[in-house]
Amino acid sequence: MDEDEMKEKGEQQTKKQLLCKRIYDSDEKLSVLNDLSLTDLNSFIPVVRSQIFIEALCHGNLSEDEAVNISRIFKNSLTTEPLPVKSRHREQITCFPLSAKLVRVVNVKNKSETNSVVELYYQIEPEEAQSTKMKAMLDLFHEIIEEPLFNQLRTKEQLGYEQLDEESFGNYRSGVIARLLEKDPSLLSETNELWSQIVDKRYMFVYSHKEAEELRSIEKKDVISWYTTYFRESSPKCRRLAVRVWGCDTNMKETQTDPKSVQQVIADAVAFKSTSQLYPSLC
């Protein structure tokens, strides 16, 4: 893992500590691992086997009967009943309050790391498992802003699509649709796409085609309205979190934030989540 990947991993971990209801960071895992023994591991194995729930994907050069026979091998080998639905893990995500302007600030754990990293996270709405509209809007918005984003934010502090003509918008939309409908480059790629539908609990195995169909009805005014609703600071539905991981040589006096741009600085992630509402997560 290179330096940039390490920084990104640290920032992502910090964000997940705020977003995920249940998460264990590296320090927590290490504190447990240091006290584990082989006896503990051997004792844990039958506990795991007594609480198993399996979802599987058979994909490739095999018939339906062969896939069913493979599933029977697992059923016959595992003598326990499937884990009850209510006991299966379902992640929940912290729901930020309306108009939230949150900041989470941490220092790097590696005392030799001099670089800092910042991520601005916007929270929109819960995605419904059988809906493709929100995902279609996100993908189209990303396609439009990706190239001009850095230049526009650095020089004009506005997003590039605000001056976008209808022809260019149509080209962006057609580009996303074409990518969604293009044939997978390999069987592994297609398998991974199908498996992601199981992991995300959507079970929509023609998801790309449904999203492409949704995109055909999205117009420029829809994207502008969507942006105004979820990204414009004056909108009550604009909810954002700034995650700042400061390097060891950072001058903390220079990192002070304008109070007007922050509603709440999150000092204790656990306490913050304990008083927050939760979204059901697809993943």
Side-chain angles (χ1 to χ4, degrees):
M1 190 176 296
D2 63 26
E3 182 179 324
D4 289 338
E5 289 174 327
M6 288 291 290
K7 287 186 290 184
E8 182 179 355
K9 182 179 179 181
E11 174 274 321
Q12 291 289 335
Q13 185 74 8
T14 301
K15 183 176 67 177
K16 287 182 178 179
Q17 288 171 354
L18 289 175
L19 290 176
C20 299
K21 180 181 179 181
R22 292 187 294 179
I23 187 171
Y24 305 99
D25 63 24
S26 299
D27 291 338
E28 290 174 307
K29 294 175 183 177
L30 282 173
S31 67
V32 174
L33 284 170
N34 288 332
D35 296 327
L36 286 180
S37 66
L38 180 58
T39 301
D40 295 323
L41 179 60
N42 288 332
S43 300
F44 183 65
I45 291 173
V47 176
V48 173
R49 287 180 173 172
S50 69
Q51 301 179 4
I52 285 181
F53 170 69
I54 294 177
E55 286 186 293
L57 170 66
C58 294
H59 180 234
N61 187 23
L62 72 169
S63 66
E64 181 179 346
D65 288 341
E66 289 172 318
V68 171
N69 288 333
I70 291 172
S71 70
R72 286 174 180 158
I73 293 174
F74 285 92
K75 289 181 180 179
N76 295 335
S77 300
L78 300 171
T79 57
T80 59
E81 292 295 318
L83 190 67
V85 173
K86 65 179 181 179
S87 300
R88 297 171 193 171
H89 174 69
R90 293 301 300 268
E91 186 57 81
Q92 291 180 294
I93 299 297
T94 304
C95 173
F96 294 159
L98 294 176
S99 302
K101 300 176 184 177
L102 308 173
V103 173
R104 174 64 168 164
V105 180
V106 297
N107 295 320
V108 293
K109 294 181 180 180
N110 183 353
K111 299 306 180 183
S112 64
E113 176 58 79
T114 60
N115 294 291
S116 301
V117 62
V118 176
E119 177 179 345
L120 190 59
Y121 166 88
Y122 286 87
Q123 189 171 79
I124 304 176
E125 302 277 1
E127 182 183 355
E128 297 179 8
Q130 299 303 314
S131 173
T132 56
K133 186 169 185 178
M134 186 67 76
K135 181 66 163 54
M137 193 72 77
L138 278 167
D139 285 346
L140 180 55
F141 182 67
H142 177 269
E143 178 75 8
I144 293 171
I145 69 168
E146 182 179 24
E147 183 177 345
L149 178 63
F150 291 106
N151 178 57
Q152 290 294 126
L153 291 179
R154 287 172 179 169
T155 59
K156 301 179 183 179
E157 297 186 357
Q158 59 182 334
L159 294 176
Y161 78 86
E162 290 171 352
Q163 304 300 323
L164 191 67
D165 58 47
E166 291 292 344
E167 182 180 359
S168 297
F169 174 82
N171 291 336
Y172 281 120
R173 183 176 57 192
S174 297
V176 178
I177 292 173
R179 275 204 307 277
L180 287 169
L181 297 180
E182 67 183 5
K183 186 177 180 180
D184 288 288
S186 66
L187 183 63
L188 177 60
S189 176
E190 186 177 357
T191 300
N192 289 339
E193 182 66 27
L194 294 172
W195 182 248
S196 71
Q197 290 297 313
I198 297 174
V199 173
D200 292 345
K201 310 299 181 186
R202 288 190 182 94
Y203 306 105
M204 295 175 63
F205 298 109
V206 289
Y207 191 84
S208 294
H209 290 266
K210 289 183 178 293
E211 184 181 346
E213 189 62 33
E214 188 74 57
L215 277 165
R216 291 189 174 95
S217 65
I218 295 177
E219 300 179 3
K220 177 183 172 182
K221 62 181 178 61
D222 299 320
V223 177
I224 294 176
S225 175
W226 183 80
Y227 168 81
T228 302
T229 300
Y230 296 112
F231 289 86
R232 183 157 291 173
E233 189 173 346
S234 59
S235 171
K237 287 193 173 183
C238 177
R239 298 175 291 178
R240 71 186 190 198
L241 164 69
V243 178
R244 302 169 183 171
V245 182
W246 298 124
C248 61
D249 291 342
T250 303
N251 184 338
M252 300 310 294
K253 290 184 179 180
E254 296 180 353
T255 67
Q256 299 302 310
T257 304
D258 182 358
K260 295 181 181 179
S261 66
V262 179
Q263 179 190 61
Q264 180 182 355
V265 176
I266 302 172
D268 187 327
V270 175
F272 173 77
K273 290 192 292 186
S274 69
T275 59
S276 300
Q277 294 182 330
L278 298 167
Y279 278 147
S281 173
L282 286 181
C283 48

